[in-house]
Amino acid sequence: MENSETPKDWHEATRAVIEETLRDRILSALLQRSNLTGAQFETLLVDQLGHDMANKRLTRSDMAQLRRDEKGISRGSFNRTLRQARENVVEAIHTVLLLGYCGLTESPSIAPFLEASQLKDAAQHEPEVYQRTVDSIIDDLEHAFHAMFGKNRDT
């Protein structure tokens, strides 16, 4: 076993990282409006970043055991959820490309959203600034959603 950890140690440590990631407020706001279910997103997260989180090479069975409940899920269920999540992501990308190609979306400033990915460092050094920035980004996301889909649209 790598790093002389017991199986329970890597599993608990990795599960803690996943849970911390899923508690991120910006992630939650984006996920709520996405076409992925929470289970699908968590499955993609484990599939794409699980090796790094666990600091070891994971099998599909290991990945299935990292899912939310205590016992995880079956490997088949993990693979099925992963397939569904990947299909949803591909469809979402094609939808965005289609809308852009046809000129149906404006090109709003995305700088604040890109900055959000760099916020985690600020959370430790300046928690008040971090909190205000997160609140502002979530508010901007809501305004962008409403502007695009109705409530603030010009008629």
Side-chain angles (χ1 to χ4, degrees):
M1 190 142 286
E2 293 177 40
N3 298 336
S4 68
E5 291 182 344
T6 65
K8 196 171 185 176
D9 291 340
W10 75 261
H11 183 271
E12 288 176 1
T14 306
R15 189 68 226 148
V17 172
I18 292 168
E19 288 172 4
E20 179 183 344
T21 301
L22 294 174
R23 281 192 300 268
D24 182 276
R25 289 183 53 216
I26 295 172
L27 184 149
S28 295
L30 291 169
L31 181 59
Q32 184 177 9
R33 297 252 189 230
S34 80
N35 67 337
L36 294 174
T37 66
Q40 289 172 345
F41 178 77
E42 184 178 357
T43 301
L44 278 173
L45 184 67
V46 170
D47 178 63
Q48 296 297 306
L49 302 176
H51 305 296
D52 294 333
M53 291 176 178
N55 203 22
K56 70 178 239 149
R57 190 86 182 134
L58 299 176
T59 65
R60 284 283 192 236
S61 293
D62 291 337
M63 291 178 190
Q65 296 309 309
L66 287 171
R67 283 285 308 280
R68 285 182 194 244
D69 61 25
E70 274 183 36
K71 296 179 183 176
I73 59 174
S74 72
R75 191 176 69 220
S77 181
F78 180 88
N79 288 334
R80 199 169 26 263
T81 303
L82 180 60
R83 179 184 43 76
Q84 292 166 345
R86 286 177 175 166
E87 288 170 358
N88 285 344
V89 168
V90 167
E91 289 173 6
I93 291 169
H94 282 90
T95 300
V96 170
L97 292 173
L98 172 67
L99 294 174
Y101 180 77
C102 294
L104 296 175
T105 58
E106 292 182 23
S107 193
S109 173
I110 61 170
F113 305 110
L114 297 175
E115 290 172 15
S117 64
Q118 300 170 351
L119 277 178
K120 293 203 182 224
D121 292 334
Q124 294 174 352
H125 304 311
E126 299 178 273
E128 301 84 21
V129 172
Y130 170 78
Q131 194 62 41
R132 283 193 309 271
T133 305
V134 168
D135 291 342
S136 174
I137 288 171
I138 290 173
D139 190 50
D140 289 347
L141 286 169
E142 282 299 311
H143 285 299
F145 174 79
H146 290 298
M148 184 174 242
F149 295 104
K151 294 188 179 173
N152 297 340
R153 281 193 68 142
D154 294 332
T155 53

